[in-house]
Amino acid sequence: MTESARVDQWLWSVRLTKTRADAAAACRGGRVEVNGKAAKPATKVVVDDRVEARLAGRDRIVLISRVITKRVGAAIAVECFIDHSPPPPERLPEVAVFAERDRGTGRPTKRDRRKIDELRGRTR
């Protein structure tokens, strides 16, 4: 166990992001704060630091209880932070009219494709 670690490395190690590059991009994009201040990827974090991040469309507020630098299993990762995040917003089931296509009607139209992307949370 180390005394401090880079915030991007720690976010990846405790499985809050899928890749370290995603964690670094979130830091560079201003979506990560350490103790109320905007964090660069190389910002050092120590035990008892408060990390606030907007990841995957959800606000995550965690208090660091253990600093690690290597990615670990999910069971160990949850022991490394105390989660104070609000519950995730409920997803309303959306009825997709465009999804009801007859077999053999061909490719979706441009409008249908945009609706599919919007439903999946993708942006242009």
Side-chain angles (χ1 to χ4, degrees), residues 80-93:
C80 297
F81 62 90
I82 301 167
D83 198 356
H84 295 290
S85 303
E90 292 185 24
R91 296 183 72 174
L92 300 174

Side-chain angles (χ1 to χ4, degrees), residues 22-41:
D22 287 346
C27 292
R28 283 192 300 273
R31 295 186 302 272
V32 178
E33 294 181 358
V34 176
N35 297 326
K37 296 180 182 176
K40 293 181 180 180

